Amino acid sequence: MALSIRQIHPVFVGEVSEVDLRQPLLGDAVAAVETGMDHYAVLVFHDQNITDEQQIAFTRNFGEIENSAGGNVTKPEEHRLNPLMNDVSNLGRDHKPLARDDRRRLFNLGNQLWHSDSSFRAIPAKYSLLSGRVVAKKGGNTEFADMRAAYDALDDETKVLVEDLVCEHSLLYSRGLLGFEVTPEEREMFRPVRQRRVRTHPVTGRKSLYLASHAGTIVGWPMPEARALLRDLTEHATQPQFVYVHQWRQYDLVMWDNRQMMHRVRRFDEGEIRDMRRTTVAGDAPTVEQVQAA
Ligand SMILES: [Fe+2]
């Protein structure tokens, strides 16, 4: 049987069947997944009991794996997983849930805000692939919002307004929304980068809003006016008709295009183990020219 994809939401999201991610994928299957990503922007694979090595091998079909350095407050000696994996669990190296006041946990709570992975990097991520090894019994859903549909639904005046805007994104802004306090070293590591407000998909030519809670300023705008517009656009873009709620089953793998989607995780009982592992496909270029800070 050849790999097949069925749309499971009115505007996006495909469910993939007839594929085993423990095996190397043939060229036709890789091309079918890429075409599916261009079209559906989120793909759901069920029943994929894979190892980290198998997840890394599958991810490499779609490009280089992004270097995760500089994206969190976890120290190198605290890492639980291979550096090619992003640990999005609630666990420490001892495989136990982090304490309530652990800085790594408090930092990771930022994943409950709408965002696009690595928009705080000058070259932001292309795809993310999230594998549910141990899923929450209740809650812990991941929600996705389609930024293409959100763009299409803007009125003409707003499309003109946002077309050429450039924003500054940083983990300082998203974590600042939650009152998370950074060290001087983290402040330096999380220096803002510039991103276009509107992106155009390189294959389909569709435009999308490029939004994230990491966005904190609009270049050339007074701060309160910038923040007010960012809030308005985020409210618009996350209306229920643009949102898919993924309720995790163990061994689901969900893959999404960060250039076209925002996502967030929902609360769950953090006394329980939730072991989620992400690999990230690096982007290939900045969305806009960077300006060196003085
Ligand atoms: Fe994320």
Side-chain angles (χ1 to χ4, degrees):
M1 284 280 289
L3 178 155
S4 67
I5 304 177
R6 178 176 75 94
Q7 188 166 337
I8 57 171
H9 179 279
V11 295
F12 68 133
V13 189
E15 184 184 71
V16 185
S17 50
E18 306 302 335
V19 64
D20 179 353
L21 302 185
R22 293 172 303 182
Q23 309 294 333
L25 250 60
L26 298 175
D28 284 359
V30 173
V33 170
E34 280 200 281
T35 303
M37 287 296 287
D38 292 341
H39 188 65
Y40 300 108
V42 179
L43 292 178
V44 176
F45 303 75
H46 292 299
D47 305 316
Q48 305 291 338
N49 181 4
I50 52 174
T51 63
D52 291 353
E53 289 68 32
Q54 288 161 344
Q55 184 170 343
I56 288 165
F58 176 60
T59 304
R60 284 191 165 134
N61 286 310
F62 310 103
E64 296 278 319
I65 294 190
E66 183 182 87
N67 180 342
S68 64
N72 56 59
V73 298
T74 307
K75 299 183 180 73
E77 65 274 17
E78 293 173 333
H79 281 135
R80 192 175 64 101
L81 305 176
N82 175 330
L84 294 173
M85 308 293 297
N86 279 87
D87 192 355
V88 247
S89 72
N90 61 336
L91 307 172
R93 286 196 69 154
D94 58 0
H95 205 71
K96 293 204 175 93
L98 298 169
R100 187 175 191 184
D101 61 353
D102 190 300
R103 286 188 87 241
R104 293 168 289 175
R105 168 180 179 267
L106 300 178
F107 182 86
N108 289 340
L109 289 174
N111 290 325
Q112 294 185 14
L113 305 178
W114 286 108
H115 66 282
S116 174
D117 286 335
S118 297
S119 77
F120 52 82
R121 298 184 192 278
I123 299 180
K126 182 183 177 189
Y127 300 157
S128 292
L129 297 89
L130 188 58
S131 166
R133 308 295 174 82
V134 179
V135 303
K137 290 192 191 75
K138 191 170 171 223
N141 296 338
T142 304
E143 299 182 346
F144 295 91
D146 188 336
M147 296 296 102
R148 306 164 301 179
Y151 176 85
D152 291 346
L154 292 173
D155 60 48
D156 290 343
E157 292 75 20
T158 310
K159 282 181 182 164
V160 170
L161 175 70
V162 298
E163 177 67 25
D164 293 317
L165 293 182
V166 174
C167 296
E168 289 192 334
H169 291 230
S170 167
L171 285 161
L172 297 173
Y173 295 131
S174 51
R175 274 39 186 184
L177 291 170
L178 297 184
F180 181 84
E181 290 181 12
V182 295
T183 64
E185 296 75 41
E186 288 162 357
R187 181 166 296 281
E188 179 63 18
M189 184 165 75
F190 298 154
R191 275 196 310 273
V193 301
R194 293 188 166 194
Q195 303 292 359
R196 290 186 60 85
R197 164 84 324 164
V198 176
R199 298 186 73 169
T200 304
H201 191 276
V203 176
T204 65
R206 280 191 79 180
K207 287 186 173 180
S208 55
L209 282 171
Y210 192 43
L211 285 173
S213 56
H214 307 311
T217 64
I218 299 174
V219 175
W221 280 42
M223 179 67 93
E225 192 179 355
R227 294 268 170 103
L229 179 64
L230 291 168
R231 275 187 181 241
D232 264 6
L233 291 172
T234 302
E235 257 180 49
H236 162 81
T238 56
Q239 294 175 80
Q241 66 268 34
F242 307 134
V243 173
Y244 163 69
V245 179
H246 186 72
Q247 297 179 283
W248 288 91
R249 285 171 19 193
Q250 189 180 28
Y251 303 137
D252 281 349
L253 181 130
V254 181
M255 176 171 180
W256 64 90
D257 186 342
N258 287 296
R259 301 168 303 180
Q260 314 192 72
M261 292 295 117
M262 278 207 293
H263 63 282
R264 64 176 180 177
V265 67
R266 309 310 290 145
R267 284 187 299 120
F268 60 97
D269 177 355
E270 291 189 58
E272 290 177 8
I273 290 176
R274 180 176 186 265
D275 190 351
M276 313 293 288
R277 303 185 183 198
R278 193 183 95 204
T279 39
T280 314
V281 179
D284 42 26
T287 66
V288 70
E289 193 181 340
Q290 300 299 309
V291 173
Q292 292 297 322

